[in-house]
Amino acid sequence: MPRTPLPQELLSGSFTVHAARDLGVTRKRQRHPDVVIPSRGIRIPLTGTGGPAANLRAYTELDGASVLTHHSGARVWGCGLPAWMQEDWRIHVAREREGSKPRRRNVVGHRMTFKAGEVVMHDGVRVTSPARTWLDLASLMTVDELVAAGDSLVCAHGPNFPRPKTALCSIEELRRMVAAHPGMRGMKTARLALPEIRVGADSPQETRMRMILAGSRLGEPTLNYVIMNGWGQPAVWPDAAYPQQRIALQYDGAHHADPGQARSDARRQGVTEQLGWREVRVFKEDLDGDKPFLVEKVKAAIRFRDERQSSTPTGT
């Protein structure tokens, strides 16, 4: 006998047993193989179409006091996380200090104090604000990891970009958050990371690329730079750039191996060089080790440009 389909309202993400009951779904139906039971009173449909917020929603619907924090809050906001944290799928849930600590399977419970505006509703979940989420991560991350997380939250792109992007919070909001919690765990890490955060890095790898170059004699590259064509129109959007040397840096992650993306990358490189710039494509291995090859790669590109310019006859 075919199983009864779940109501459409329950297919977007996690749901509580009480929400299912109110929609007429029996306890027996909630235990069918197409429904996952991650924790007591919570269900997730295997065919669900929701993102991180939807899949975590039930954890804050269990009561009016539970808040997603730390890793879980970061996932809701799409915050850049280090690999080790991406692999940790425990759910971080907090209640106010006067309440009881959440205790359930696969949940890391916290008792925390929140100031006004530090807990918000986003995509149907109760979660710490982007700036408060960043500060809570400071007790778990290294300085460099926290810089990358901060970069991902403040990242914005203006109207000259193909896909303009609005920041989730500003660097000033991060500063105010640090000032509001002087005695919190991780405060030393937060204070060291804060001056290094910049607007314009779309991924932790782009942040690492920027920081490696900033620590070298080449100096810090420019983010959010737009290369214009001869008509003054936006033509290329490098991940970072050295405008004076006309060097465009593009970080190529794993998805750049896709044939369609590879063709797009080749077209981009052609346009970049037609406009008199030299493109440096950066890969993960270029960022590894104590002496990342990235620095030599950029130096070689600058030397190439200098040599080509010196060998070009000057017009009379």
Side-chain angles (χ1 to χ4, degrees), residues 157-173:
H157 299 308
N160 279 335
F161 281 74
R163 292 183 295 276
K165 183 176 183 179
T166 302
L168 290 166
C169 67
S170 66
I171 295 176
E172 182 54 36
E173 286 177 90

Side-chain angles (χ1 to χ4, degrees), residues 248-308:
L249 305 170
Q250 299 284 4
Y251 181 82
D252 285 0
H255 73 284
H256 287 264
D258 174 78
Q261 183 63 51
R263 288 191 293 272
S264 176
D265 291 342
R267 286 194 297 271
R268 179 200 66 209
Q269 184 169 3
V271 172
T272 300
E273 299 192 354
Q274 284 172 12
L275 293 173
W277 285 63
R278 184 160 181 82
E279 180 178 283
V280 177
R281 298 180 69 178
V282 181
F283 304 95
K284 179 182 179 299
E285 54 268 26
D286 295 329
L287 308 180
D288 294 339
D290 295 332
K291 294 183 178 180
F293 185 60
L294 166 66
V295 175
E296 293 306 317
K297 214 170 188 179
V298 176
K299 285 180 179 178
I302 293 173
R303 282 196 302 270
F304 178 87
R305 279 196 55 82
D306 290 345
E307 290 168 2
R308 189 171 67 173

Side-chain angles (χ1 to χ4, degrees), residues 228-244:
M228 301 292 188
N229 62 22
W231 294 275
Q233 299 168 324
V236 185
W237 302 265
D239 294 327
Y242 286 104
Q244 187 174 351

